[in-house]
Amino acid sequence: MDAIQNGWFSEIQNELWPGQCFSLKVKEVLHQEKSKYQDIKIIETESYGTCLLLDGIIQCTSKDEFSYQEMISFLPLCSHPNPKKVLIVGGGDGGVAREVVKHPLVEEVHQIEIDDRVVELSKKFLPNMSSGFNNPKLRLTIGDGFEYMKNHKNEFDVIITDSSDPIGPAVNLFDESYYKLMKTALRDGGVVCSQGGSFWLDSEYVKKTINNCRLHFPNVSYAVTSIPSYPCGHIGFVIGCLDGNRCLETPLHTFSSAEIDQMKMKYYTSSIHSASFVLPRWIQKCFNENI
């Protein structure tokens, strides 16, 4: 059934957020097609600007995307002492690439995205996000992230996985085997950061993802950001580090207000970095049970 009815888009209902859905008033459907991997729809909304939908689920809106893109990028980048070489898995809209190339210590950014149509359509309809594809630091490869990492061992300082939710083609990006694979692609002391879901929706699933990371990384934490177009208005990130003594909550690189403005960032600051790891008591206890 078409998700747009009476001028409103309603996010597809599934087991990830049972009994609820988020709706946006639609001004115009800009594009829709079925790629080799997923249904792609781009709409212009009344309050959230341009919105990218994959398989009926909101991936980003031009109103609030920066909070997600900046945090999934700068949390791991500022948790590594010298993040020279970075791998982005997914992120076909270009938002993570746009942020990663801003970090002054980053020299090379490699991105592996499976669906070339998401990239091409983002270049056309989301130019502010896809601007990262034009940076000389970036090298984009269209292909499978699993196979890519199998062929690139001990190469990266930071790996960022910008995936859709754990259903359909992205489900394997939350498994234990994926964290094992990322570990083999990292250099000593490397850091990974993945979309980690909302603890309000399913705290046990988030805990399972964290524990999958803990099987291969001695230092694991979970941070959150506020983003109103995602279910429950926030989303978390699972961060793993091969250096067991590093404090992920304290950024190794801090930026002045002038530097933040120069990088055109709207959400991330060094204070936000530390604050994002502060969790409600009940979820702290949930995540730390049976460690």
Side-chain angles (χ1 to χ4, degrees):
M1 183 180 293
D2 194 331
I4 297 178
Q5 295 185 2
N6 301 318
W8 287 80
F9 162 79
S10 295
E11 197 164 41
I12 188 171
Q13 299 182 46
N14 59 59
E15 67 275 12
L16 295 177
W17 42 85
Q20 68 178 67
C21 70
F22 186 64
S23 299
L24 292 169
K25 190 173 183 181
V26 179
K27 294 172 65 176
E28 182 182 2
V29 177
L30 300 175
H31 184 86
Q32 55 185 340
E33 68 173 76
K34 185 173 179 62
S35 74
K36 183 179 178 181
Y37 300 97
Q38 55 208 331
D39 289 311
I40 305 171
K41 185 174 287 186
I42 301 173
I43 59 176
E44 188 67 24
T45 70
E46 189 81 15
S47 302
Y48 281 76
T50 308
C51 177
L52 171 65
L53 312 168
L54 298 180
D55 289 335
I57 297 175
I58 295 169
Q59 304 302 306
C60 58
T61 78
S62 56
K63 178 178 181 176
D64 62 4
E65 52 85 12
F66 58 86
S67 67
Y68 174 86
Q69 317 292 355
E70 291 179 19
M71 292 293 278
I72 199 174
S73 301
F74 273 76
L75 286 174
L77 291 174
C78 291
S79 297
H80 193 287
N82 194 13
K84 288 185 177 181
K85 190 172 183 179
V86 179
L87 174 65
I88 302 169
V89 180
D93 52 49
V96 173
R98 180 194 67 197
E99 299 305 322
V100 171
V101 298
K102 293 177 181 178
H103 196 288
L105 295 180
V106 171
E107 297 176 357
E108 293 180 54
V109 183
H110 297 258
Q111 182 168 356
I112 178 74
E113 161 63 45
I114 198 167
D115 196 336
D116 63 317
R117 291 301 297 153
V118 174
V119 174
E120 294 307 314
L121 291 170
S122 296
K123 288 179 179 178
K124 181 176 181 180
F125 293 103
L126 298 165
N128 183 54
M129 292 181 65
S130 60
S131 60
F133 292 131
N134 301 322
N135 193 284
K137 292 182 182 180
L138 185 83
R139 179 178 178 182
L140 175 66
T141 301
I142 302 299
D144 180 81
F146 278 79
E147 293 303 315
Y148 185 92
M149 281 190 282
K150 288 176 183 177
N151 297 315
H152 293 78
K153 296 184 178 180
N154 304 116
E155 283 198 25
F156 303 102
D157 299 306
V158 173
I159 299 175
I160 299 169
T161 303
D162 178 19
S163 69
S164 53
D165 294 296
I167 55 175
V171 67
N172 293 330
L173 301 181
F174 295 78
D175 290 344
E176 173 269 336
S177 60
Y178 182 67
Y179 285 98
K180 181 179 180 180
L181 183 60
M182 284 196 289
K183 180 180 179 180
T184 66
L186 285 174
R187 295 168 174 165
D188 290 343
V191 178
V192 298
C193 184
S194 302
Q195 188 260 92
S198 168
F199 57 72
W200 286 111
L201 291 169
D202 192 342
S203 60
E204 288 302 317
Y205 192 90
V206 175
K207 180 180 177 180
K208 178 182 176 182
T209 305
I210 292 170
N211 287 338
N212 285 340
C213 186
R214 284 173 174 157
L215 290 172
H216 301 285
F217 290 83
N219 188 357
V220 178
S221 195
Y222 177 88
V224 296
T225 192
S226 170
I227 179 163
S229 63
Y230 285 0
C232 295
H234 95 300
I235 197 166
F237 308 104
V238 177
I239 304 169
C241 179
L242 292 177
D243 182 348
N245 297 317
R246 195 176 302 159
C247 180
L248 298 174
E249 292 82 358
T250 303
L252 298 179
H253 315 282
T254 58
F255 302 105
S256 66
S257 294
E259 288 172 322
I260 291 289
D261 290 340
Q262 187 176 20
M263 288 188 283
K264 298 180 179 179
M265 292 204 289
K266 301 177 181 179
Y267 195 95
Y268 179 89
T269 65
S270 299
S271 297
I272 286 285
H273 181 117
S274 298
S276 68
F277 290 91
V278 179
L279 302 176
R281 180 60 178 158
W282 71 273
I283 202 65
Q284 282 183 326
K285 293 174 71 174
C286 173
F287 289 170
N288 291 324
E289 285 174 350
N290 303 318
I291 292 180

